């Protein structure tokens, strides 16, 4: 099955890559129409192979236990450049030497997200789907908006995460994952498996020992407060699926595990903190060069992009 699926995937990608100009650099960008065509092709590819049903069955045991208003939003981080063009002329052996899945991984993740949202909306009132990705260009933004999705800049998406959010952030660097989880654990987090996240905080000299401990505490709280299930493999070489898991907030799925209250006891934030963060959002435009920039107010201090210290 894997070989036949790979052949189908190659045929689709080769046909799309040879559409239009044949002498285009691999760093080129698809037009809006070309991106829409690729998206439709891979969406149909999923349906033909039964991946929609496979996705639904993988989350059904948990979605059946969700209250009717457990998930109201979806936030997606770091899926990559959607409109990257594959150029067959850049490889002497054509399509056989190209990293097709790696090149089209962002678009395949978008197909996953689209189907996931449609499935969740059968029982959950998801009002909005938000994307944040520094590599997006105008074509990517316009295309996502045409699908009814919103695109925001750092750090707006982090501020949208609540305990009623479905967070999609596979393959993201663990510091970014820690930032996303720091204020509130989402009802569903799809991303790097929690044990890998915990291990990643060990021996990282670029971070202070206190910062590493902060991140480790967040990931250990995630481990304690969630039910973890592996994301099944989709497509012939599902690189982003390997090591990616569903993390269901036990409280959201009415899991009676006694550990589920750990996060609330360890990381309890007064309601006014959320207001403080939103008020300071305009100045929270951090860059890689200034990861420890601070923002202070009369009754709060924000460091490490979104860490809050009450006074």
């Amino acid at each position: 099955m894997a070989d036949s699926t790979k052949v189908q995937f190659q045929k689709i990608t080769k046909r799309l890559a040879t559409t239009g100009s044949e002498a285009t650099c691999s760093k080129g960008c698809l037009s809006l129409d070309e991106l829409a065509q690729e998206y439709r092709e891979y969406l149909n590819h999923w349906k033909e192979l039964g991946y929609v049903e496979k996705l639904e069955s993988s989350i059904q045991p948990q979605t059946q236990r969700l209250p009717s208003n457990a998930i109201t939003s979806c936030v997606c981080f770091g899926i990559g450049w959607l409109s990257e063009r594959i150029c067959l002329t850049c490889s002497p052996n054509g399509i056989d030497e190209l990293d097709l899945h790696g090149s089209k991984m962002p678009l395949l993740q978008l197909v996953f997200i689209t189907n996931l949202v449609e499935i969740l909306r059968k029982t959950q009132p998801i009002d909005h789907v938000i994307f944040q990705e520094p590599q997006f260009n105008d074509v990517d933004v316009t295309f996502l908006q045409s699908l009814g999705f919103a695109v925001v800049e750092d750090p707006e998406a982090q501020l949208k995460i609540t305990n009623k959010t479905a967070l999609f952030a596979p393959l993201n660097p663990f510091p970014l994952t820690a930032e996303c989880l720091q204020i509130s654990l989402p009802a569903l987090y799809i991303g790097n498996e929690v044990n890998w996240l915990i291990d990643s905080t060990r021996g990282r000299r670029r971070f202070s020992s206190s910062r590493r401990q902060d991140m480790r505490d967040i990931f250990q709280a995630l481990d304690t407060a969630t039910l973890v299930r592996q994301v099944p493999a989709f497509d012939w070489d599902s690189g982003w699926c390997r090591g990616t898991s569903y993390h269901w907030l036990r409280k959201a799925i009415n899991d009676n595990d006694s550990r589920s209250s750990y996060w609330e006891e360890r990381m309890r934030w007064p309601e006014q903190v959320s207001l403080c963060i939103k008020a300071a959002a305009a100045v929270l435009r951090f860059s890689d060069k200034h990861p420890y920039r601070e923002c202070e107010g009369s009754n709060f201090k924000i460091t490490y992009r979104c860490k809050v210290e009450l006074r």
Side-chain angles (χ1 to χ4, degrees):
M1 179 63 182
D3 290 341
S4 62
T5 304
K6 177 178 178 179
V7 171
Q8 288 180 338
F9 183 82
Q10 286 181 331
K11 287 181 179 178
I12 292 173
T13 307
K14 184 175 182 180
R15 181 171 68 255
L16 293 171
T18 54
T19 301
S21 176
E22 297 182 358
T24 305
C25 174
S26 60
K27 295 183 179 180
C29 172
L30 296 172
S31 68
L32 186 60
D33 290 340
E34 289 172 330
L35 178 57
Q37 180 186 355
E38 287 205 4
Y39 173 75
R40 288 192 297 269
E41 289 274 5
Y42 292 129
L43 202 61
N44 292 333
H45 174 67
W46 253 58
K47 293 178 180 178
E48 291 170 1
L49 294 173
Y51 287 161
V52 178
E53 293 79 8
K54 184 178 181 180
L55 172 59
E56 186 164 14
S57 64
S58 72
I59 64 175
Q60 190 174 35
Q62 283 69 51
T63 55
Q64 289 178 338
R65 301 164 64 182
L66 287 172
S68 59
N69 63 341
I71 299 178
T72 60
S73 66
C74 179
V75 176
C76 309
F77 276 92
I79 68 171
W81 182 17
L82 293 171
S83 56
E84 180 181 8
R85 181 188 296 275
I86 290 180
C87 178
L88 299 182
T89 61
C90 292
S91 173
N93 294 323
I95 201 165
D96 292 331
E97 282 193 0
L98 289 172
D99 178 16
L100 295 180
H101 188 273
S103 300
K104 290 306 167 186
M105 191 180 298
L107 202 53
L108 295 173
Q109 290 182 71
L110 178 60
V111 171
F112 176 95
I113 295 166
T114 303
N115 285 288
L116 175 69
V117 170
E118 288 183 1
I119 293 170
L120 290 175
R121 276 179 170 161
K122 293 179 181 180
T123 58
Q124 301 298 317
I126 298 179
D127 295 328
H128 50 270
V129 180
I130 299 171
F131 286 80
Q132 182 174 300
E133 167 55 67
Q135 294 189 59
F136 282 164
N137 56 23
D138 291 342
V139 172
D140 298 330
V141 173
T142 301
F143 178 67
L144 288 171
Q145 291 174 341
S146 73
L147 298 178
F149 302 150
V151 181
V152 299
E153 296 183 358
D154 181 32
E156 188 172 348
Q158 286 100 318
L159 303 178
K160 298 291 186 181
I161 299 172
T162 71
N163 60 0
K164 292 189 176 184
T165 298
L167 172 62
F168 183 83
L171 306 180
N172 277 212
F174 71 90
L176 176 58
T177 302
E179 292 172 12
C180 294
L181 302 175
Q182 191 158 342
I183 297 176
S184 178
L185 281 185
L188 170 61
Y189 159 60
I190 303 175
N192 294 319
E193 203 274 329
V194 64
N195 288 330
W196 180 89
L197 291 171
I198 294 172
D199 290 341
S200 297
T201 62
R202 299 189 173 99
R204 299 283 179 166
R205 295 183 178 179
R206 53 181 284 200
F207 300 105
S208 66
S209 58
S210 61
R211 178 57 177 151
R212 291 198 304 270
Q213 187 60 52
D214 286 343
M215 292 188 288
R216 192 175 304 119
D217 288 345
I218 292 170
F219 297 145
Q220 287 174 342
L222 174 70
D223 183 33
T224 301
T226 59
L227 177 70
V228 182
R229 294 292 183 266
Q230 176 66 41
V231 172
F234 297 98
D235 301 301
W236 61 269
D237 180 23
S238 300
W240 74 268
C241 294
R242 291 193 296 269
T244 301
S245 296
Y246 304 114
H247 301 74
W248 296 91
L249 191 62
R250 293 182 183 277
K251 183 179 179 180
I253 60 174
N254 295 319
D255 188 289
N256 293 324
D257 189 294
S258 61
R259 302 177 303 167
S260 61
S261 62
Y262 176 90
W263 174 263
E264 294 180 350
E265 295 174 359
R266 181 70 183 272
M267 304 290 285
R268 181 171 295 166
W269 300 100
E271 291 182 359
Q272 63 266 27
V273 174
S274 176
L275 298 176
C276 290
I277 294 174
K278 291 178 181 179
V283 295
L284 285 176
R285 301 300 187 210
F286 300 95
S287 67
D288 293 336
K289 295 180 180 179
H290 304 286
Y292 303 110
R293 185 176 172 185
E294 298 180 351
C295 171
E296 294 193 45
S298 59
N299 62 345
F300 68 96
K301 180 180 179 181
I302 301 177
T303 60
Y304 303 123
R305 304 182 70 151
C306 277
K307 180 180 178 181
V308 178
E309 299 174 2
L310 293 180
R311 291 174 177 163

